[in-house]
Amino acid sequence: MTKQELRKIVRASKKEVSLNDKIQRSKAVMQKVETHPDFVAAKTVLLYWSMDDEVYTHDFVRRWYRDKNILLPCVDGDNLLLRRYTGADSMVPGPQFGIPEPVGPIFDEVNLIDMIVVPGVAFDKQRNRMGRGRGFYDRLLKTTSRAVKVGVAFDFQVFDAIPVEPFDVAMSAVIAETHTY
């Protein structure tokens, strides 16, 4: 199966689940993240502000930003810049996709990031990740060798195997609703 075919299958599966159900199902995923030993020990965590078709992270970000340095990505051309989330007042619609992004200074000390929670279109049981096809996360993840990389997904996004390219960055773990790989 090609990446394009796999993206189409996952997109159809996501459409079958209401936004409310996605938010509810996300709770199981994010509870596993919250108790993951690397998250518990982490001081600086890169998360993401979820879109409607992704594992929901808004409540998680709001709950943890006072206890940990929570970073969120900001799209800048073909790259992701990182900024610290400092509360709801710090968020503005991103210029490229309209996804809310924090304002403030750019965080460029990627060697200080302990954990990265990564969305994806699909993952496999060998912890490979397939994104939306623009390479934003792959470029960023290559610069963060020290950080534990955790993919988060709904169960229907995890497959036995997915197509992998040499530039794709594998996850340290993949956390889904019912399994962790």
Side-chain angles (χ1 to χ4, degrees):
M1 180 176 339
T2 68
K3 286 186 175 188
Q4 186 176 13
E5 291 167 331
L6 191 53
R7 284 187 183 101
K8 187 176 180 180
I9 289 168
V10 172
R11 190 169 37 253
S13 295
K14 286 178 176 181
K15 285 182 180 176
E16 292 178 14
V17 181
S18 72
L19 176 59
N20 207 31
D21 284 346
K22 285 183 201 118
I23 291 171
Q24 290 304 313
R25 292 167 77 163
S26 296
K27 289 178 182 177
V29 177
M30 298 312 291
Q31 283 174 345
K32 288 182 181 184
V33 171
E34 193 168 52
T35 59
H36 192 284
D38 290 307
F39 179 78
V40 172
K43 290 183 173 90
T44 301
V45 180
L46 172 58
L47 280 150
Y48 64 96
W49 195 259
S50 55
M51 295 190 291
D52 288 350
D53 66 341
E54 296 174 324
V55 170
Y56 182 75
T57 60
H58 302 191
D59 292 341
F60 192 87
V61 168
R62 289 183 196 116
R63 179 168 52 249
W64 284 102
Y65 84 95
R66 288 184 180 95
D67 298 323
K68 298 181 183 284
N69 292 320
I70 300 296
L71 306 174
L72 296 176
C74 304
V75 177
D76 181 45
D78 288 333
N79 296 301
L80 295 177
L81 301 176
L82 309 179
R83 290 192 173 98
R84 189 165 181 215
Y85 177 85
T86 58
D89 294 346
S90 72
M91 300 292 278
V92 299
Q96 198 161 341
F97 299 110
I99 303 165
E101 300 176 350
V103 295
I106 293 171
F107 181 93
D108 58 6
E109 298 180 72
V110 293
N111 59 318
L112 297 180
I113 300 172
D114 300 304
M115 178 184 250
I116 303 173
V117 177
V118 187
V121 172
F123 297 90
D124 67 22
K125 295 175 181 177
Q126 295 74 45
R127 300 182 312 276
N128 293 304
R129 173 189 172 272
M130 185 182 78
R132 295 182 188 265
R134 298 274 308 267
F136 288 115
Y137 273 97
D138 288 316
R139 282 188 291 282
L140 174 66
L141 294 173
K142 285 185 167 101
T143 69
T144 59
S145 58
R146 180 184 157 296
V148 174
K149 298 159 182 70
V150 177
V152 291
F154 300 111
D155 284 345
F156 61 80
Q157 292 178 272
V158 181
F159 296 83
D160 288 333
I162 61 173
V164 180
E165 306 287 341
F167 52 81
D168 291 332
V169 176
M171 301 290 97
S172 309
V174 174
I175 297 177
E177 297 162 79
T178 59
H179 291 87
T180 299
Y181 304 94

